Amino acid sequence: YVCGVDCPLAFHYKKWLEVFPEAKIVLNVRDGRKWYRSMKNTLVPLVEDRFRFPTCLLSPIDPKMIALGYCNVDMEPQEGKGVFGSVIAGEDAAVEFYNEWMEAVKKNVPEDRLLVFNVEEGWEPLCTFLDLPVPDQPFPNVNDSAEMRKIVFNMRAVAWGVVVGLPLLTAAGLYAFFRK
């Protein structure tokens, strides 16, 4: 299979269905309040960092930051609310946005091409939908909140390393060179 996941691809599912008429859509569902907490504690800080010093210096060159920028823009058509704006507005607004998004996808994707999938169900429904054998290994758990917080921390550390560390190393090197 050739596939695309997450942002910004997922936000253009209608166009993908037009371009790839045999495409299948897997709609990953979860409790809206848990989704809100996850977004608030993981992706929203990443998006906000795109505009904060010093991570803003990396935004134009870091593919993850560029993709997050597209996610923020591409979700806007949902009744004028963006995904990140809804999360920042608070839990109720975010859950409403999430539920509206889920219903819109269910309404717009033909039933025979849509799997409404909760990862807690494991491999079986996903493999059946994709006509693939069930792997002989546990269903993976990746992109959890702890892993995403590590990514936020690492991006901040790299940004500060570039802003503070690079000039210090340059100054130390120049001092050592001219001291001779």
Side-chain angles (χ1 to χ4, degrees):
Y1 281 88
V2 176
C3 68
V5 297
D6 218 339
C7 105
L9 297 174
F11 307 138
H12 301 286
Y13 70 92
K14 291 178 193 173
K15 290 178 186 168
W16 289 113
L17 288 171
E18 290 174 21
V19 174
F20 302 102
E22 301 302 315
K24 294 182 177 185
I25 304 291
V26 178
L27 179 63
N28 188 14
V29 297
R30 63 191 295 190
D31 176 74
R33 300 215 179 270
K34 288 181 181 178
W35 173 82
Y36 162 76
R37 286 190 295 277
S38 175
M39 288 290 292
K40 182 179 179 217
N41 295 319
T42 59
L43 290 179
V44 168
L46 268 176
V47 169
E48 290 175 337
D49 275 0
R50 292 180 62 238
F51 306 105
R52 289 189 183 133
F53 182 82
T55 48
C56 64
L57 301 173
L58 299 178
S59 293
I61 59 171
D62 186 326
K64 289 182 203 115
M65 296 297 263
I66 292 168
L68 284 171
Y70 287 128
C71 291
N72 200 27
V73 171
D74 289 342
M75 285 294 281
E76 295 300 329
Q78 187 75 10
E79 294 186 22
K81 295 182 282 188
V83 62
F84 296 108
S86 294
V87 173
I88 291 167
E91 185 170 356
D92 290 339
V95 171
E96 179 184 357
F97 177 89
Y98 176 85
N99 290 334
E100 287 174 4
W101 175 261
M102 292 297 165
E103 290 308 312
V105 173
K106 291 175 189 176
K107 175 184 166 194
N108 289 300
V109 178
E111 271 188 45
D112 63 325
R113 294 169 59 195
L114 177 66
L115 172 64
V116 178
F117 178 67
N118 186 318
V119 295
E120 293 174 0
E121 297 174 83
W123 288 116
E124 187 67 39
L126 181 62
C127 292
T128 299
F129 180 68
L130 298 174
D131 296 321
L132 293 170
V134 175
D136 190 24
Q137 58 188 345
F139 195 83
N141 179 20
V142 295
N143 280 348
D144 63 359
S145 293
E147 185 65 30
M148 294 303 293
R149 281 192 298 273
K150 285 181 194 173
I151 291 170
V152 171
F153 175 83
N154 289 338
M155 290 188 70
R156 290 174 179 165
V158 167
W160 280 107
V162 168
V163 168
V164 176
L166 220 50
L168 285 177
L169 284 175
T170 303
L174 289 171
Y175 175 77
F177 178 76
F178 287 113
R179 189 171 149 224
K180 293 181 184 183

